[in-house]
Amino acid sequence: MSRRILHIDMDAFFASVETALNPVLRGKPIIVGGNADDARSVVSSASYEARRYGVRSAMPIAQARRLCPEGIFIPCSHGIYGEVSRRIEAILETVTPFIQMASIDEANLDITGSIHLFKNEGALAVHVKKSIEEQEHITATVGIASNKMVAKIAANTCKPDGYLSIDTGMERAFLAPLSVEVLPGVGPNTRESLESRGIMTVRQVLETPEPLLAGLMGSHGARCLLDAAMGMGSDTIETRQMPKSISRETTFSKDEMDWAKFEPVLFRLAEQCAYALRSEGLETSRVTLKVRYSDFQTKTFATSLPEPTALDSTLLRALRELISKGRGRRARVRLIGVNLSVLSYNQHQMELFNREREEKWERTMRSVDAVRDKLGFGSVGLGSALGKNTKDNRSSRQKKNRDSSK
Ligand SMILES: [Mg+2]
């Protein structure tokens, strides 16, 4: 039996939350983005009124100011958006336990077994949209289809405050007249090369011989594109509970006092935490260093980050500061650990990686993680964690922790 997947996407999420908090902003061009004084900041979210001026996500703030001088510019309040996201997740949980948050403001739900609780799937969609609007004062768009990809495309075609359901079996007919760029994997470059061959619509993709597509984008890319054009996609919902924190710690086989030895071990633990964080699609806003001394006294040193991150480089920088505090006490150390807390779902990618250097890091981390996924964490060590003393770590006990307690 075919499944029914509901894709929900909040409309102009950050801008809508700001408006819900401050209703006098309603109907105004709201532009939410990083730090207003920072020339490199980019737009994270723009209200539909601001979009009329041509303002878009990921556009530099300076450019948005030129396009929309009367716009109201608001810095990001990541903590608040994360809270609203969690409350929305709780609303979705009233419909089905099969929920996969795709980002801070998007989710996929398997509603196959829940439709009978409502009159039909349309009534279910209205219930979800209404509950969010009543409780959070923001609007959402819902698409329903037999798989995640088609449900998301359906939602994207009826934003904002929309609802569209594609009957099972009608996926191909629904996609055929749409522009090729609706398909996953078709970015500006692929679109351009397809359009240069006169392939503008999904229907035209299906009419193109596969070898010709393979010539443009490789045989794997062509196969994926054809599958997508036919409306084939995954209907698997990977449910998970957001952990409260992610931590790694190490107990030394004998108590140690030399902080020069601890540093590479701590960096390694931080990298392991960050890897776990990224594989769960999360970011952290708080880094804690834990030190247990030989007298079993435990001290923690914590710092809050200005914005959520999943980048090793940012976490190691924060940790370095904490280490300089931690080494203050002249005592032998039994155990050291790193803890990442105040977790949230991945926020807007461009906003997070708006600095060129971080973008480079993000690319590196993605390829490092891919290798680690295949060969295990130890297959790749980054420079910062490679100290000559890391072998001490091997003789010690290590503990992984994913704290899911509510
Ligand atoms: Mg959205």
Side-chain angles (χ1 to χ4, degrees):
M1 193 191 83
S2 146
R3 312 211 70 80
R4 296 300 284 167
I5 304 298
L6 181 151
H7 179 87
I8 184 162
D9 184 0
M10 305 307 135
D11 303 320
F13 184 52
F14 297 174
S16 302
V17 172
E18 294 294 345
T19 306
L21 288 171
N22 187 2
V24 298
L25 298 176
R26 198 165 293 279
K28 304 224 165 81
I30 309 300
I31 296 149
V32 179
N35 179 355
D37 306 323
D38 185 346
R40 294 166 305 175
S41 278
V42 296
V43 175
S44 291
S45 173
S47 69
Y48 284 85
E49 290 79 5
R51 292 182 198 194
R52 262 179 234 137
Y53 292 82
V55 177
R56 294 285 177 270
S57 291
M59 172 184 283
I61 293 276
Q63 189 185 351
R65 272 187 201 284
R66 280 196 299 277
L67 287 169
C68 185
E70 53 269 62
I72 298 167
F73 290 79
I74 303 173
C76 286
S77 302
H78 295 286
I80 292 168
Y81 310 144
E83 274 171 40
V84 176
S85 172
R86 277 190 288 278
R87 289 202 299 266
I88 289 169
E89 192 180 1
I91 293 172
L92 299 177
E93 277 166 359
T94 65
V95 173
T96 173
F98 307 113
I99 300 171
Q100 185 176 8
M101 294 299 286
S103 74
I104 193 164
D105 77 326
E106 267 176 69
N108 290 299
L109 283 65
D110 186 338
I111 55 164
T112 316
S114 305
I115 297 168
H116 75 276
L117 302 171
F118 299 81
K119 239 164 112 190
N120 49 46
E121 61 182 33
L124 185 154
V126 168
H127 166 82
V128 169
K129 278 163 59 69
K130 238 176 122 184
S131 306
I132 293 172
E133 198 163 355
E134 279 170 12
Q135 291 175 45
E136 299 298 336
H137 312 288
I138 64 175
T139 63
T141 295
V142 167
I144 300 181
S146 59
N147 65 59
K148 290 188 276 191
M149 180 198 73
V150 177
K152 185 182 167 89
I153 296 173
N156 286 344
T157 59
C158 64
K159 285 187 105 5
D161 199 12
Y163 164 60
L164 180 62
S165 164
I166 308 302
D167 286 343
T168 301
M170 296 303 288
E171 298 83 0
R172 206 169 150 161
F174 160 64
L175 294 175
L178 302 179
S179 156
V180 284
E181 66 192 331
V182 305
L183 299 177
V186 180
N189 292 334
T190 308
R191 192 185 109 186
E192 208 174 293
S193 80
L194 288 170
E195 287 184 353
S196 73
R197 297 301 188 110
I199 306 164
M200 312 289 194
T201 64
V202 177
R203 178 180 293 115
Q204 287 170 322
V205 169
L206 292 173
E207 289 165 356
T208 307
E210 190 171 339
L212 198 153
L213 290 175
L216 291 176
M217 53 202 306
S219 55
H220 179 70
R223 195 63 253 157
C224 292
L225 187 70
L226 283 168
D227 284 350
M230 284 189 281
M232 285 158 59
S234 160
D235 61 2
T236 308
I237 302 295
E238 287 150 32
T239 52
R240 59 160 192 225
Q241 226 186 4
M242 182 167 4
K244 267 198 162 166
S245 67
I246 288 176
S247 59
R248 297 285 184 275
E249 57 188 44
T250 278
T251 307
F252 293 109
S253 41
K254 81 177 167 35
D255 297 352
E256 292 274 2
M257 208 151 137
D258 183 2
W259 275 83
K261 276 186 184 173
F262 302 161
E263 234 177 64
V265 177
L266 279 168
F267 287 165
R268 186 82 173 153
L269 294 173
E271 286 178 354
Q272 289 171 348
C273 286
Y275 174 63
L277 193 69
R278 288 190 294 272
S279 47
E280 302 225 23
L282 297 172
E283 294 169 355
T284 178
S285 295
R286 196 166 173 81
V287 184
T288 305
L289 163 68
K290 176 175 165 185
V291 186
R292 181 167 298 147
Y293 299 94
S294 51
D295 59 4
F296 278 86
Q297 262 204 52
T298 304
K299 276 204 105 170
T300 58
F301 307 88
T303 184
S304 290
L305 305 169
E307 54 184 60
T309 187
L311 289 179
D312 289 23
S313 53
T314 312
L315 297 173
L316 295 185
R317 220 179 299 137
L319 187 60
R320 203 164 276 139
E321 260 172 55
L322 297 175
I323 289 174
S324 63
K325 289 184 193 163
R327 65 194 326 162
R329 186 172 167 198
R330 301 285 302 155
R332 290 194 172 278
V333 171
R334 238 186 104 67
L335 169 155
I336 50 175
V338 175
N339 177 288
L340 306 179
S341 58
V342 192
L343 306 181
S344 52
Y345 292 112
N346 263 344
Q347 304 195 357
H348 199 284
Q349 296 276 309
M350 289 314 291
E351 208 283 322
L352 174 63
F353 302 122
N354 59 353
R355 287 165 196 92
E356 219 177 284
R357 200 163 60 103
E358 307 235 314
E359 211 176 290
K360 228 182 259 167
W361 255 101
E362 191 250 348
R363 268 202 303 274
T364 311
M365 293 321 303
R366 230 189 272 147
S367 44
V368 164
D369 287 354
V371 175
R372 283 171 171 169
D373 286 344
K374 261 198 194 150
L375 306 173
F377 182 86
S379 59
V380 184
L382 295 169
S384 46
L386 290 177
K388 57 185 189 303
N389 296 311
T390 37
K391 63 176 182 293
D392 288 349
N393 195 12
R394 266 179 241 155
S395 59
S396 56
R397 278 179 293 128
Q398 202 188 323
K399 204 176 132 198
K400 288 184 186 181
N401 186 22
R402 179 188 184 281
D403 177 11
S404 298
S405 60
K406 278 256 162 158

